[in-house]
Amino acid sequence: MFARFRHFARTLPQAALLAALPVAAIAAGEVDFVQSVEPAGLDPTVSSPVAAGQVTWQNLFEGLVAIDRDGRIVPQLATDWTISEDRLTYTFNLRPDVTFHNGTPFDSGTAKFSIERIVADDSTNGQKALYTDIAAVEAPDPQTLVLTLSRPSSDLLYWLGFPAAVMVEEGSADTNGTDPVGTGPFKLDEWRKGDRVIMSAWDGYWGDPAPLDTITARFIADPQAQAAALQSGQVDIASELGAPELFAQFAEDPKFATNVGTGEMEVVAGMNNARAPFDNVRVRRALMMAIDRDALIQAVKSGYGTPIGSHFSPASPYYTDLTGEYPYDPEAARALLAEAGYPNGFEFTFKVPNRTYAQRSAEILQAFFQQIGVTANIVSSDFPAAWIQEVFTDTDYDMTIIGHAEPLDIGIYARDPYYFNYDSDAFDAAMQDVATATDEAARKAAYIRAQEILADDLPALFLYSDPKLGVWDAGLEGVWPDGPVPANDMTEVRWSE
Amino acid sequence: MLAVESLRVTFRRDRAPPVEVLRGVSLTLERGATLGIVGESGSGKSVLALSVIGLLPRNARAEGRVLLDGTDLLTLSERGMRDVRGRRIGMIFQEPMTALNPAMRVGVQIAEGLRVRRGLSRGNARTEALRLLDRVQIPQAGRRIDSYPHEMSGGERQRVGIAIALALEPDLLIADEPTTALDVTVQAGILDILGDLVADLGLSLILISHDLGVIARLADRTLVMHRGAEIEQDATERVLRRPGHDYTRTLIDAMPRRARATLEAGRA
Amino acid sequence: MRRVPATLWIGAALSLLFVGAALLSRVWTPADPTGMNIAARLKGPGEAGLLGADQIGRDVLSIVMAGAWTSLGIALTATAIGGAVGTATGMAAAAGRGGFERAVMAANGVLFAFPPILSAILLGALLGPGAGTAILAIGLFMVPVFARIARGAALQVWSRDFIKAARMAGKGPVRISIEHVLPNISAQIIVQFAIQTGLAILAEAGLSFLGMGVAPPNPSWGRMLSEAQTYLSSAPHLVLAPGLAIAGAVLGLNLLGDGLRDLTDPRRGQAA
Amino acid sequence: MRKLRYLGRRLAGLLGILGIASLAIFLLIEAAPGDPAQIMLGTGAQPDTVAALRAELGLDRPLPLRYLAWLGGVFTGDLGMSYTYGTPVAELIGQRLVVTLPLTAMATLLAVAVALPLGVMAAQNPNRIVDSLATAFSQIGIAVPNFWIGLLLILGVSLGLGWFPTGGFPGWRAGALPALSALVLPAIALAIPQAAVLTRVTRAAVIEVSNEDFIRTARAKGLSRRRALWRHTVPNALLPVVTMLGLQIPFLISGAVLVENVFTLPGIGTLAYQALSQRDLIVVQNVVLFFAVIVLGVNLLVDALYILLDPRLRGSG
């Protein structure tokens, strides 16, 4: 009875709406994907790279190389490349007959401009630090680009596949934030700020045209609203559903395809290693052992997520499982705390960004710490503004909690200054070995050593890796299941016949 | 023409026993005659007037009979009563400052009854309103017709009040303390107009006042009321000259000496 | 003796219920309002506690009770501060007149120009979210309200004869304000206090909803609602309890205020 | 004439208040911790990159200069460029206004449409069921937070019945109907507390005016109760209602911030909130100033309406 009423109730206003709408409002080649954060500008080479890249990377902008859905480096605007014996010179052969959306041809001159712009003194590229080993850029002929490094950087090729290193051209570089001009298969139609970015297929694309005619990024911060938009068909893809607790209902629904993918986001509780008692490694270990990471994931992420023991997530090719290093053991934690000189525990201020996952995790950590006699006083911090100022810039904090979304970003622990105030010669050496590794095995070994040092030193409490909970219309193919790069690559997405 | 028979009015009150404000009053009024009702404030004069025109507050209950040409007004429906108000009985109120709608031009207020009850066109109603303003001796009526009440003096407003009451040419006019709120100099003018109307149009008039001087000027008969009851009722001359009751006498004594003198003079 | 209006009874009873719950929560709640229980998460009313459990398995009834303490505490403190400052400036404006009065009224105009939530968000940005910020922001927006009412009421008192007498007796404006004006306007201020406390609860809930309220684990009705939005379809009970608590507390205080006004001002009592 | 001078004086006072408000806004936002350049660049950026961006945004100029530049821009109609979006602030506000303005207008219309008849009916039938219902509605409506109403509407109407979207805004280009239907529930949530306040004021005002002498005069003309009500009582009772509408503007805006948040509408409230958390200072300054202008402007408008509604204030001649 109720069901019938609901059906009637549902169809009534819809019929009225449909009658009023122009026909063919829904084209076959159209996809709307949801994204929780709206980028400040659409240019991934300036300002907030993650959100901008999630909209435009691969769709609008392309790089010399790209990272594919499996995390591999693949050629893009460079067809192939050679690396010199001393690993200091990279020579790229560039793809001919590539033009930007505004008709400007892509050649080694534009590539040189793009790279030099990243490393310039007045560069406003947020990821500049990754590319500063590039000492010189040369363009000996239109199809050849030569990069000379000041020291070996084994990850450089990987970084060049990143949103922060996409190719732009000089004439439009300054306005890419609002009016992006790239070489990708889609071009910008309209950006309705606060709501959506609409992109449509560009007929001048150098490669195979994308199957879709139109793609739209919809910015919906609230997880409930994301789920509702999916259910009502207003959006087709949520590659990272914000509400894990709603995921199960989509998994049961045949209208949707779901996938629990691995993501690159590691949630860690960073500590101020320069401040007592967090300068004491035994205290840090005791706190780590006070936490039942599985229970935490259950509570915060409805069980979707993987405990981590160090800074890499299982999505990383160099991941090694170190969760066994300091497992949940409140008894041992209490003992270790006493050994460190805090038999009665201590009290500290827990500066938590006012974001749901952080607040929720902090509340649970607070309860765990209480079990070993440590009192955490939670202070909300307005994110990002106040948090970045207080924690990141001023490092005026005891403990905080935040997700690190950039892949292969373990190097942040070697940075000085960085908000952990962590200083370890052994770790710095391991990172040096990563940079100078001449083969993949040596590189992997160095990365694993770096992870092991962190897992033992615990400059931060390593909590969990965020899953990439993908939900999309069951009629869609080609959606990225995992997230080796935070992106919504729509270039291979199609509606199945 | 009008006969009120043992009219009782009681007010219901919240959380208190009902109170009786009229305790059986009777009166009769001939066509073209003027009845004065006198009494101190709270004596039930106004309630009596409101019962006749059927505008008692909601919590009031009237018993008895109010016969207008043989029809008991108390038994009339609201719709029936609406035909009586304005057309058969017009009423003039005490406070010219508050008795007019402050947000409406006076001409419109006069014309409103004509338009609603008579169905006159806007233009015809305006012409008629202009005539009425002339009738109540508003100078420069053509200009003043578009004034708002606050732009007029008290006397002028009271004249507008009379014009409103006259608009539908009623047979009976009830004037409830029409001059009390006015300056002495203005009072006379208003009373003159009322007197002229009775004389020229053959109206019946019920004139309510606490001021015997006012009553004495116009009323053929006078009803003296006290605490909701009739004290005496007779020809005005008789009541004033040979008050049949102590209360009437105190009313006469309370009059200013000069007014009493005029009264004496008038009597003489 | 006038009869006590029914609204006053209902208002007083509702207000007492919430004050009682707030006080009780300091010594007893059915369960630990901060104690999580993963096994019970999102369980409905009856399955886990009287009002169910939240997303980390805390007992909803216990958090709502403890939330009363937070909510009432912030609202009362903010209104008390705003009320005291506002009343004092309003009385001073009435006593001082002239330029001072104009300055006070202009300052009120500036405060009035900022929509309350917006000024609270601005303050939140400046001071960081937390109870102190909420109290300050809400209190600040109470100031012009009380100032206006106190000034209006005080001006009426100042025009009365006994003030003239006091002035002729050589009393200064400060002394007159305290001895004569304050007692005569206190009834109006108290009535306004009850109503403004209700508004303060609404404002606090709004701030917490936007993540600008007290820090966890201090329970807060507004934050409960903001968290409940995520579970709207899977656990609707989470959205009902805190909302009803807010509405009930505000309703109680409003009725209390209206009832008090009817009691102290017979003219209004009849009109209402 | 007198009235014109009065309105002129009001306008001057208003500009003074806006001047003080603008300085307060500017200083408050400047004093808040958080560097827009650092926020835009994220946690990966090095200090020299941040410094470069600060220079590019003009954030390295001295404080008084930036304030004066902003104020000068406001007077010439140039509100500056958003740090984060990189678009003119005026354009940004305009884009958001096409959501917030219809939203608040719909809410106000809805509130008036409910409150006026309800308040009048309640006043006409004291102590009857209508009156009790109206009183209950106004008491409860004032007490419930509008964002909670929003949540309940999403729960019951959107998720339950499947009517109207749960949030988001398709844009006016998608057609008037989809756009309006996205605003229906938020407008209802916003309208209910407003309607409650207005019902209360209307009821009290109508009761008060009903007891005026001129209503008796009108009835004595033989006017029906209904005509006396709509021609005489209601026009005179509108004054306090209009006043209350003006006084409610700050609350309406506050409510819009919350309701836009619940329904994820890209309105000006969301813009203010978002820009502040991004420390897009120039946007925050302008939006807050804009709201102040609206609040004060509406109150000036209410004053003007007063003069229109009450001829006594119009002055003769």
Side-chain angles (χ1 to χ4, degrees):
Chain A
M1 179 61 215
F2 183 59
R4 187 180 299 169
F5 169 69
R6 269 170 62 123
H7 175 74
F8 175 71
R10 237 176 240 283
T11 45
L12 192 68
Q14 272 170 6
L17 273 179
L18 282 177
L21 274 177
V23 199
I26 302 148
E30 197 179 318
V31 154
D32 288 37
F33 60 96
V34 72
Q35 183 173 325
S36 51
V37 182
E38 179 178 32
L42 294 179
D43 184 351
T45 68
V46 296
S47 78
S48 167
V50 172
Q54 282 174 320
V55 178
T56 58
W57 185 72
Q58 292 306 308
N59 299 328
L60 274 172
F61 288 112
E62 296 176 319
L64 292 174
V65 296
I67 312 296
D68 74 0
R69 61 177 68 213
D70 300 317
R72 287 176 311 221
I73 301 165
V74 294
Q76 194 156 50
L77 297 181
T79 50
D80 53 73
W81 53 89
T82 54
I83 302 171
S84 68
E85 197 67 18
D86 61 3
R87 311 197 65 81
L88 289 177
T89 308
Y90 286 60
T91 308
F92 294 91
N93 288 316
L94 302 185
R95 196 176 291 280
D97 303 323
V98 173
T99 53
F100 284 89
H101 299 148
N102 62 0
T104 311
F106 166 77
D107 59 19
S108 60
T110 34
K112 182 173 187 294
F113 167 78
S114 298
I115 304 282
E116 282 178 340
R117 184 163 163 268
I118 298 172
V119 295
D121 282 343
D122 61 352
S123 159
T124 53
N125 190 312
Q127 301 297 317
K128 178 185 170 185
L130 303 176
Y131 308 95
T132 42
D133 290 337
I134 299 172
V137 189
E138 282 154 86
D141 68 70
Q143 303 307 307
T144 310
L145 183 77
V146 181
L147 302 183
T148 312
L149 310 196
S150 55
R151 54 177 186 156
S153 170
S154 64
D155 282 331
L156 182 67
L157 218 44
Y158 189 75
W159 301 137
L160 287 175
F162 255 54
V166 295
M167 293 294 115
V168 300
E169 68 81 28
E170 196 164 357
S172 54
D174 288 342
T175 52
N176 274 341
T178 50
D179 189 13
V181 173
T183 60
F186 293 99
K187 61 177 173 43
L188 180 80
D189 278 356
E190 192 193 355
W191 180 8
R192 293 189 201 146
K193 304 214 170 52
D195 190 49
R196 67 187 71 193
V197 169
I198 306 167
M199 295 163 276
S200 64
W202 176 53
D203 52 15
Y205 184 57
W206 58 266
D208 296 331
L212 295 172
D213 304 325
T214 307
I215 56 173
T216 303
R218 295 280 311 274
F219 308 116
I220 304 175
D222 182 70
Q224 172 66 36
Q226 289 179 358
L230 276 167
Q231 255 144 1
S232 60
Q234 292 178 55
V235 299
D236 310 299
I237 304 176
S239 57
E240 284 176 87
L241 186 72
E245 48 284 330
L246 301 177
F247 188 71
Q249 77 191 55
F250 285 105
E252 288 163 11
D253 191 337
K255 287 202 313 260
F256 294 98
T258 54
N259 178 65
V260 183
T262 50
E264 275 290 351
M265 160 105 95
E266 301 96 16
V267 175
V268 306
M271 289 165 287
N272 191 342
N273 286 245
R275 197 181 268 189
F278 303 101
D279 55 351
N280 186 330
V281 69
R282 279 177 295 190
V283 169
R284 303 200 295 265
R285 286 172 186 157
L287 292 177
M288 188 74 254
M289 284 195 289
I291 300 166
D292 179 351
R293 281 172 280 216
D294 288 313
L296 177 75
I297 292 166
Q298 193 62 43
V300 180
K301 290 281 163 188
S302 292
Y304 298 103
T306 316
I308 51 172
S310 189
H311 193 77
F312 272 163
S313 89
S316 168
Y318 308 113
Y319 171 75
T320 178
D321 184 356
L322 293 164
T323 45
E325 202 81 349
Y326 293 99
Y328 177 54
D329 187 347
E331 283 306 315
R334 245 188 306 261
L336 194 58
L337 206 58
E339 204 182 302
Y342 298 95
N344 302 317
F346 58 91
E347 207 169 313
F348 72 94
T349 304
F350 199 170
K351 203 159 263 179
V352 183
N354 56 348
R355 287 291 179 271
T356 311
Y357 77 92
Q359 298 266 351
R360 219 172 267 172
S361 301
E363 276 181 64
I364 293 160
L365 293 188
Q366 188 181 44
F368 281 130
F369 294 153
Q370 201 63 59
Q371 288 177 350
I372 63 163
V374 173
T375 304
N377 296 313
I378 294 178
V379 173
S380 292
S381 185
D382 191 10
F383 187 87
W387 184 86
I388 286 189
Q389 182 75 43
E390 292 160 4
V391 175
F392 191 75
T393 311
D394 301 340
T395 62
D396 177 20
Y397 78 105
D398 293 338
M399 184 189 282
T400 187
I401 189 166
I402 197 79
H404 286 266
E406 304 285 354
L408 280 189
D409 61 349
I410 199 168
I412 54 176
Y413 293 91
R415 279 199 205 167
D416 186 24
Y418 207 70
Y419 75 97
F420 307 112
N421 286 325
Y422 171 64
D423 189 15
S424 158
D425 294 339
F427 183 79
D428 294 352
M431 287 316 294
Q432 191 58 36
D433 289 349
V434 167
T436 54
T438 50
D439 61 58
E440 196 55 24
R443 205 170 110 142
K444 180 159 187 166
Y447 264 133
I448 287 176
R449 199 165 69 253
Q451 291 175 65
E452 285 167 350
I453 294 168
L454 291 185
D456 194 49
D457 267 358
L458 294 168
L461 303 175
F462 299 106
L463 303 175
Y464 61 89
S465 154
D466 224 4
K468 196 170 180 239
L469 298 178
V471 178
W472 55 84
D473 192 298
L476 282 171
E477 294 171 354
V479 184
W480 281 25
D482 296 323
V485 179
N488 285 296
D489 182 341
M490 295 290 133
T491 56
E492 289 168 351
V493 175
R494 67 174 75 236
W495 291 100
S496 51
E497 298 307 315
Chain B
M1 171 201 176
L2 178 75
V4 173
E5 293 172 5
S6 48
L7 182 65
R8 295 176 170 275
V9 174
T10 43
F11 280 75
R12 262 181 301 107
R13 291 184 299 175
D14 279 353
R15 308 183 193 114
V19 56
E20 200 177 36
V21 288
L22 276 190
R23 305 154 189 265
V25 176
S26 303
L27 61 86
T28 53
L29 179 65
E30 299 306 318
R31 193 170 297 273
T34 298
L35 171 70
I37 302 180
V38 72
E40 62 190 15
S41 51
S43 57
K45 310 181 300 268
S46 295
V47 172
L48 176 57
L50 290 175
S51 344
V52 171
I53 201 167
L55 288 177
L56 283 171
R58 233 175 250 265
N59 57 342
R61 228 174 78 93
E63 288 163 290
R65 300 211 294 173
V66 177
L67 298 167
L68 182 68
D69 288 337
T71 315
D72 185 356
L73 299 184
L74 294 185
T75 62
L76 279 185
S77 65
E78 168 59 27
R79 186 175 289 274
M81 205 53 220
R82 222 187 291 158
D83 290 330
V84 172
R85 285 186 214 120
R87 258 195 231 189
R88 304 291 318 278
I89 309 175
M91 186 151 176
I92 302 160
F93 294 96
Q94 175 174 355
E95 284 290 341
M97 312 307 282
T98 56
L100 298 179
N101 185 341
M104 207 186 250
R105 296 174 198 277
V106 294
V108 180
Q109 296 195 46
I110 298 169
E112 190 180 23
L114 294 163
R115 282 173 52 75
V116 174
R117 305 300 308 170
R118 285 260 174 83
L120 257 58
S121 71
R122 190 182 296 267
N124 288 345
R126 188 179 161 91
T127 316
E128 181 65 15
L130 205 60
R131 198 187 60 74
L132 283 162
L133 282 175
D134 264 337
R135 168 91 243 189
V136 295
Q137 299 169 21
I138 296 265
Q140 292 177 287
R143 199 165 59 78
R144 309 306 302 277
I145 191 169
D146 289 324
S147 298
Y148 283 100
H150 74 274
E151 293 163 345
M152 300 184 124
S153 71
E156 286 173 328
R157 281 187 233 185
Q158 195 56 297
R159 286 165 209 235
V160 172
I162 297 171
I164 291 174
L166 284 179
L168 293 172
E169 297 168 7
D171 313 316
L172 168 63
L173 208 56
I174 303 176
D176 184 3
E177 304 263 13
T179 59
T180 311
L182 301 174
D183 290 346
V184 187
T185 48
V186 183
Q187 283 185 7
I190 298 290
L191 291 177
D192 285 345
I193 291 171
L194 284 176
D196 291 351
L197 289 173
V198 173
D200 298 355
L201 303 174
L203 293 179
S204 310
L205 174 69
I206 295 180
L207 179 65
I208 298 173
S209 182
H210 65 279
D211 183 348
L212 268 175
V214 170
I215 301 287
R217 257 180 99 143
L218 291 181
D220 311 318
R221 289 173 61 79
T222 295
L223 163 66
V224 182
M225 286 181 65
H226 181 54
R227 308 186 72 171
E230 173 187 329
I231 299 295
E232 60 180 314
Q233 182 174 189
D234 206 340
T236 306
E237 210 176 294
R238 206 279 290 153
V239 171
L240 290 179
R241 192 168 296 171
R242 294 191 308 277
H245 203 280
D246 285 349
Y247 178 70
T248 315
R249 216 164 283 127
T250 44
L251 281 181
I252 295 171
D253 290 344
M255 286 172 70
R257 188 183 304 272
R258 198 175 46 80
R260 221 179 323 161
T262 10
L263 201 63
E264 303 286 332
R267 237 182 278 157
Chain C
M1 198 51 218
R2 289 175 50 79
R3 273 193 50 168
V4 177
T7 49
L8 185 56
W9 282 118
I10 304 171
L14 261 177
S15 307
L16 266 178
L17 175 72
F18 282 94
V19 172
L23 291 174
L24 181 62
S25 76
R26 304 307 287 172
V27 291
W28 179 83
T29 47
D32 177 4
T34 59
M36 58 172 171
N37 173 12
I38 304 299
R41 64 191 300 266
L42 300 182
K43 289 254 170 73
E47 292 176 89
L50 205 57
L51 298 180
D54 76 352
Q55 67 278 1
I56 58 172
R58 290 173 298 201
D59 178 45
V60 172
L61 176 60
S62 302
I63 330 178
V64 168
M65 282 175 67
W69 174 263
T70 313
S71 195
L72 288 176
I74 289 180
L76 284 170
T77 318
T79 315
I81 294 174
V85 174
T87 306
T89 43
M91 278 169 55
R97 310 302 315 255
F100 177 72
E101 186 179 24
R102 275 200 298 276
V104 167
M105 287 309 145
N108 275 339
V110 173
L111 280 180
F112 175 77
F114 291 92
I117 282 280
L118 218 58
S119 49
I121 296 175
L122 282 181
L123 276 177
L126 182 64
L127 305 170
T133 305
I135 289 174
L136 191 67
I138 297 168
L140 199 64
F141 130 83
M142 297 288 169
V143 170
V145 180
F146 279 99
R148 209 187 57 235
I149 287 169
R151 173 173 163 269
L155 281 178
Q156 271 185 8
V157 178
W158 273 95
S159 68
R160 305 243 293 263
D161 285 340
F162 64 88
I163 297 280
K164 283 179 200 140
R167 297 184 88 157
M168 277 187 264
K171 290 187 184 173
V174 176
R175 195 153 162 216
I176 292 177
S177 289
I178 294 168
E179 281 181 13
H180 298 284
V181 179
L182 189 58
N184 278 294
I185 66 170
S186 58
Q188 286 178 61
I189 300 296
I190 289 168
V191 166
Q192 201 59 35
F193 188 87
I195 290 166
Q196 292 296 320
T197 306
L199 272 181
I201 289 177
L202 280 179
E204 192 276 332
L207 282 179
S208 297
F209 185 76
L210 291 176
M212 293 277 167
V214 292
N218 292 315
S220 144
W221 293 338
R223 198 180 57 244
M224 287 174 80
L225 281 179
S226 137
E227 285 172 358
Q229 187 171 8
T230 311
Y231 307 95
L232 210 47
S233 50
S234 50
H237 68 274
L238 290 180
V239 88
L240 291 177
L244 284 174
I246 298 170
V250 179
L251 182 65
L253 284 160
N254 281 346
L255 290 177
L256 183 68
D258 284 357
L260 284 175
R261 172 155 45 206
D262 291 355
L263 196 68
T264 53
D265 185 349
R267 197 181 57 85
R268 273 195 77 113
Q270 276 165 6
Chain D
M1 202 54 225
R2 194 150 40 90
K3 283 296 122 186
L4 274 182
R5 211 174 312 138
Y6 166 73
L7 282 181
R9 223 177 29 242
R10 278 289 313 262
L11 200 64
L14 196 141
L15 284 177
I17 287 177
L18 280 178
I20 302 171
S22 75
L23 189 65
I25 294 165
F26 183 80
L27 292 178
L28 203 67
I29 295 169
E30 281 298 327
D35 174 2
Q38 177 78 64
I39 293 157
M40 286 170 70
L41 290 169
T43 52
Q46 304 283 59
D48 62 330
T49 322
V50 178
L53 186 58
R54 282 184 65 84
E56 194 180 301
L57 298 174
L59 284 168
D60 51 350
R61 290 178 300 162
L63 211 65
L65 205 69
R66 288 202 340 255
Y67 174 65
L68 289 176
W70 171 48
L71 215 58
V74 168
F75 274 109
T76 53
D78 173 18
L79 301 184
M81 297 283 266
S82 156
Y83 297 156
T84 54
Y85 281 129
T87 45
V89 178
E91 188 189 311
L92 215 51
I93 291 181
Q95 285 172 347
R96 302 304 185 94
L97 218 51
V98 300
V99 178
T100 304
L101 211 61
L103 171 67
T104 45
M106 272 169 81
T108 307
L109 283 180
L110 202 63
V112 172
V114 170
L116 221 54
L118 190 60
V120 170
M121 276 196 317
Q124 289 298 106
N125 302 285
N127 302 322
R128 298 276 190 78
I129 289 181
V130 196
D131 190 23
S132 310
L133 282 179
T135 308
F137 168 72
S138 62
Q139 287 286 6
I140 293 170
I142 292 169
V144 286
N146 48 24
F147 55 92
W148 187 53
I149 303 175
L151 290 176
L152 293 182
L153 286 173
I154 293 178
L155 187 63
V157 181
S158 284
L159 296 174
L161 296 172
W163 294 1
F164 305 113
T166 51
F169 187 70
W172 291 102
R173 238 168 287 178
L177 218 69
L180 282 176
S181 72
L183 293 180
V184 169
L185 294 186
I188 293 175
L190 200 51
I192 286 178
Q194 299 288 329
V197 173
L198 291 179
T199 302
R200 206 182 151 125
V201 175
T202 307
R203 178 180 171 276
V206 169
I207 287 179
E208 200 161 314
V209 176
S210 299
N211 293 326
E212 295 274 359
D213 289 350
F214 64 82
I215 301 303
R216 225 168 36 190
T217 309
R219 300 270 286 132
K221 281 182 221 177
L223 298 189
S224 65
R225 220 183 272 283
R226 180 191 292 261
R227 183 168 168 107
L229 177 68
W230 292 108
R231 282 289 289 162
H232 294 270
T233 312
V234 172
N236 281 287
L238 277 181
L239 274 176
V241 177
V242 167
T243 310
M244 192 40 87
L245 266 177
L247 287 174
Q248 282 293 306
I249 289 293
F251 295 94
L252 191 68
I253 293 173
S254 292
V257 174
L258 286 161
V259 168
E260 284 173 7
N261 199 294
V262 172
F263 287 91
T264 56
L265 293 176
I268 198 157
T270 335
L271 177 68
Y273 186 65
Q274 200 181 346
L276 189 70
S277 73
Q278 300 280 348
R279 290 295 183 275
D280 196 341
L281 307 183
I282 186 84
V283 173
V284 183
Q285 285 162 22
N286 283 306
V287 170
V288 178
L289 188 69
F290 174 78
F291 279 141
V293 170
I294 294 289
V295 169
L296 297 173
V298 166
N299 278 279
L300 194 70
L301 201 72
V302 165
D303 275 13
L305 252 180
Y306 245 76
I307 293 171
L308 210 71
L309 282 175
D310 189 345
R312 279 169 293 188
L313 296 173
R314 225 173 284 168
S316 42

